[in-house]
Amino acid sequence: MAGKRTFTMIKPDAVADGNMGAILSMIEKAGFKVIAMKYTQLSQAQAGKFYEVHKERPFYGELVDYMSSGPIVAAILEKDNAVEDFRTLIGATNPADAAEGTIRKLYAKSIGENAVHGSDSDENAAIEGNFYFSECERF
Ligand code: ATP
Ligand code: MG
C-alpha cells in the first residue's frame, strides 16, 4: 500500500527568486498537509550526504554546490499516495519535459536548478524526513 508521507525541499533557486510562497501555496492547494517545516541552509557536507546516491553521476559536484548555495525550505508532507502524487505535482526533472501547470514547468530554470525536490519512494521519504526532523518537530 502506498504511504501517506513524502519529503520536499524548495531549492535555492526558487527561494532566491521569491517563489517560496507561490510553491507552498500550490502544495497546500493540491491537498498536502505540512507535518514539519524548516528554513535552513545545507553545508557542502550535508548536501553531499543527502545526494550520496548520485555520487557517481557526472553532475554530482555541481549538484552539491548548488544545493548548498543558499537557503532552502525542507518539509514533510502528508496526503494519500503522497510520493506519487507529489511527483506528479512537481513534474519531470527537466522543466523542458515537465507537464503544463506543474511546479517545475512554472518555476524551474534548468535540469539542474529545478526549483523543488520530491522523494522517489516511501523508503526514501522516511530517510529524507529523518535527515532533517526529529520526532518533536513533527505535528
Ligand atoms: P529530486 O531528487 O531533486 O527530486 P529528481 O528525482 O527529479 O530530482 P534525480 O535523478 O533524483 O531527479 O536527480 C537529482 C537532482 O540532480 C535533480 O533534481 C537535479 O537538480 C540534478 N540533476 C539531475 N540530472 C541532472 C543533469 N543531467 N545535469 C545537472 N543536474 C542534474
Ligand atoms: Mg530524485
Side-chain angles (χ1 to χ4, degrees):
M1 200 188 80
K4 286 181 177 295
R5 289 190 179 182
T6 191
F7 171 81
T8 188
M9 290 182 285
I10 300 176
K11 295 184 177 183
D13 61 302
V15 171
D17 291 346
N19 294 323
M20 179 166 73
I23 291 171
L24 287 173
S25 176
M26 284 182 73
I27 290 170
E28 286 192 311
K29 285 192 176 116
F32 291 88
K33 182 181 172 213
V34 174
I35 297 297
M37 180 169 279
K38 205 170 269 191
Y39 185 56
T40 186
Q41 182 163 354
L42 290 166
S43 66
Q44 286 247 338
Q46 287 170 323
K49 184 164 190 295
F50 188 90
Y51 279 110
E52 208 162 23
V53 291
H54 296 306
K55 100 170 157 278
E56 306 304 331
R57 310 272 287 273
F59 55 82
Y60 179 68
E62 190 186 320
L63 176 61
V64 168
D65 286 347
Y66 157 61
M67 286 304 297
S68 57
S69 67
I72 58 148
V73 176
I76 298 173
L77 304 173
E78 188 171 87
K79 182 184 182 295
D80 285 342
N81 203 35
V83 167
E84 190 185 344
D85 285 3
F86 194 71
R87 300 280 301 189
T88 301
L89 178 67
I90 67 178
T93 308
N94 187 344
D97 302 328
E100 288 300 328
T102 59
I103 294 174
R104 283 172 169 163
K105 183 69 175 187
L106 288 164
Y107 298 113
K109 292 196 182 75
S110 66
I111 191 169
E113 300 195 11
N114 60 3
V116 277
H117 165 80
S119 302
D120 60 11
S121 64
D122 291 342
E123 188 192 2
N124 284 335
I127 292 169
E128 291 167 2
N130 291 339
F131 182 87
Y132 279 96
F133 300 104
S134 67
E135 264 320 303
C136 62
E137 292 175 308
R138 301 168 192 224
F139 306 97

